[in-house]
Amino acid sequence: MLQEEEEGSLRKSSLCPNVATSQGTEPGQGGLAPAFPLPGEWRGKMDEEKVYSPNGVFAHLELLEARAYEAAVKQEEMEQQEEKLARLKARVQELRLQRDKLRAKVDLQQKEQLGKEGAVSNPAQPSARAVLEWKIKSLKAMLQIFYLTGISGKLSKRGVCFCISTAYEGTYLDSYHLDLLTKPEVQIYRHSVPIFIPLQQIAKKYLQTDIRRFLSVLSDHLNGYVGRRYQAEQLQEHFSGRIKGALQRNSLCNLLVFNYNVSSESKTFPFNVRLVYGDPCCSLPTKVVISCTPDAPASLAETAAAHSDLFRCMALHKAFRSVSSAGPV
């Protein structure tokens, strides 16, 4: 009986040589692979899934690479903007030189023309017609000159229409229009200049004697105003979360008041800033006053002085960015 069982077992082995018996054959030694992976193979698959999973090392490296690429793109954009701004500043300087040359040339031509016309009639007192023609020629020449400095114009039926375009640090802002009558004398017909700009005082001083000076001074006032307004708007837009309360300003934007916090010795102290723009044609303050509470440490006096220097020599939003990066605000 025992012999028959052994013979039956041998027959099964000869018929199916690759099938593992109850004792089993090791993989790779002629037998079939087991139906289920062994424990060591499970660990290998789990480790491989960790490496290629979204939260694995490769995903982290891809995230770092994406951030590095974004930083490089932003840096390149900033460099391109700086290069563009430098080119624009150089172009403005070049145009100013051309303007000065054209002004000198027009002045010389006007003097020569006025001398010729005066010699025909009366050298001491030119005729009314000669003066009127001289004014018209002067206005035509100025249309070309001021086009290079943000002031453009065209002749109208009653006189001349001027457009004064304003800008700050390469950013074009508002445009203001001014219609002048030339007969019987030069006078303002209508305009879009804000009421708080001293237009009548400027006109009284320069309009009848030197119209180019009149337009130049008016342009300086408008550019100073929009420059101060632009800085205040940038401060509110980009740093509203760091300014305590609302930014206070008047219509001409030559007085700005705001508050922000400064940390010292593990405590926070409020700084009150008062910016006074004494020159209406300037976009930088002539007086900066920074005050703090009486219980503030003496070390904050030096901090206030340093912040005051920044506000005096830099654009408001740029100065506040420097203040914020220097320490907790």
Side-chain angles (χ1 to χ4, degrees):
M1 187 72 177
L2 179 61
Q3 185 177 1
E4 291 177 356
E5 293 177 356
E6 290 178 353
E7 289 176 355
S9 175
L10 289 174
R11 283 195 299 270
K12 291 179 181 180
S13 300
S14 62
L15 291 173
C16 303
N18 292 330
V19 177
T21 64
S22 60
Q23 296 178 354
T25 58
E26 296 182 0
Q29 295 183 357
L32 291 176
F36 300 96
L38 298 179
E41 294 175 323
W42 276 111
R43 288 194 297 270
K45 290 181 176 295
M46 292 174 65
D47 293 340
E48 184 177 1
E49 290 176 357
K50 289 182 180 180
V51 172
Y52 291 98
S53 65
N55 297 324
V57 177
F58 286 171
H60 186 63
L61 291 176
E62 291 177 355
L63 179 60
L64 293 177
E65 183 179 0
R67 290 178 178 176
Y69 176 75
E70 292 177 358
V73 171
K74 291 182 179 179
Q75 181 67 23
E76 184 178 359
E77 291 178 352
M78 291 179 62
E79 292 177 355
Q80 291 178 354
Q81 291 178 357
E82 291 177 355
E83 292 177 358
K84 183 179 179 180
L85 181 59
R87 291 195 300 269
L88 290 174
K89 288 182 178 180
R91 181 58 177 168
V92 168
Q93 186 65 24
E94 180 182 351
L95 292 176
R96 285 177 177 173
L97 294 175
Q98 294 180 5
R99 177 198 63 186
D100 294 339
K101 292 180 180 179
L102 289 173
R103 280 180 175 177
K105 185 176 180 180
V106 170
D107 286 339
L108 181 60
Q109 292 178 350
Q110 290 174 352
K111 290 179 181 179
E112 293 177 353
Q113 184 67 25
L114 186 60
K116 292 179 180 179
E117 294 174 352
V120 174
S121 57
N122 186 358
Q125 186 177 4
S127 64
R129 180 180 179 82
V131 172
L132 180 60
E133 291 179 353
W134 172 81
K135 288 182 178 180
I136 294 175
K137 291 180 180 179
S138 177
L139 289 174
K140 289 181 178 180
M142 279 187 296
L143 294 180
Q144 178 63 27
I145 294 174
F146 283 114
Y147 178 77
L148 303 175
T149 59
I151 303 176
S152 59
K154 61 180 181 179
L155 295 175
S156 63
K157 295 181 179 180
R158 297 185 177 186
V160 185
C161 298
F162 286 101
C163 176
I164 302 177
S165 301
T166 59
Y168 183 75
E169 292 188 344
T171 301
Y172 288 98
L173 301 174
D174 299 335
S175 295
Y176 300 94
H177 300 275
L178 187 71
D179 289 352
L180 299 181
L181 301 179
T182 57
K183 297 177 183 180
E185 62 179 7
V186 181
Q187 57 181 322
I188 300 174
Y189 175 57
R190 57 186 178 182
H191 65 87
S192 62
V193 177
I195 190 173
F196 43 79
I197 299 295
L199 175 61
Q200 297 301 327
Q201 290 86 333
I202 300 173
K204 184 178 180 180
K205 189 174 182 180
Y206 299 109
L207 185 58
Q208 300 301 327
T209 58
D210 192 345
I211 192 171
R212 285 176 299 171
R213 180 64 176 167
F214 164 74
L215 292 173
S216 179
V217 172
L218 180 58
S219 176
D220 291 341
H221 276 262
L222 291 172
N223 277 281
Y225 157 67
V226 298
R228 296 189 297 269
R229 186 194 63 188
Y230 175 78
Q231 295 177 61
E233 292 174 350
Q234 290 295 304
L235 182 67
Q236 289 180 309
E237 179 180 353
H238 297 289
F239 302 101
S240 59
R242 299 183 180 181
I243 297 176
K244 305 304 176 182
L247 172 67
Q248 302 176 25
R249 59 178 179 174
N250 58 357
S251 57
L252 194 54
C253 291
N254 59 356
L255 176 61
L256 303 178
V257 179
F258 60 94
N259 301 303
Y260 63 94
N261 290 337
V262 175
S263 299
S264 177
E265 300 178 359
S266 302
K267 294 183 179 180
T268 301
F269 299 91
F271 267 11
N272 176 264
V273 182
R274 184 183 180 89
L275 305 179
V276 180
Y277 299 80
D279 185 355
C281 300
C282 185
S283 57
L284 292 177
T286 55
K287 183 179 180 181
V288 179
V289 179
I290 300 180
S291 57
C292 191
T293 56
D295 59 337
S299 59
L300 285 183
E302 297 180 358
T303 303
H307 291 187
S308 177
D309 292 338
L310 288 174
F311 289 131
R312 188 177 288 108
C313 64
M314 294 177 62
L316 177 57
H317 54 288
K318 294 183 178 180
F320 197 82
R321 183 179 293 110
S322 300
V323 167
S324 303
S325 61
V329 176

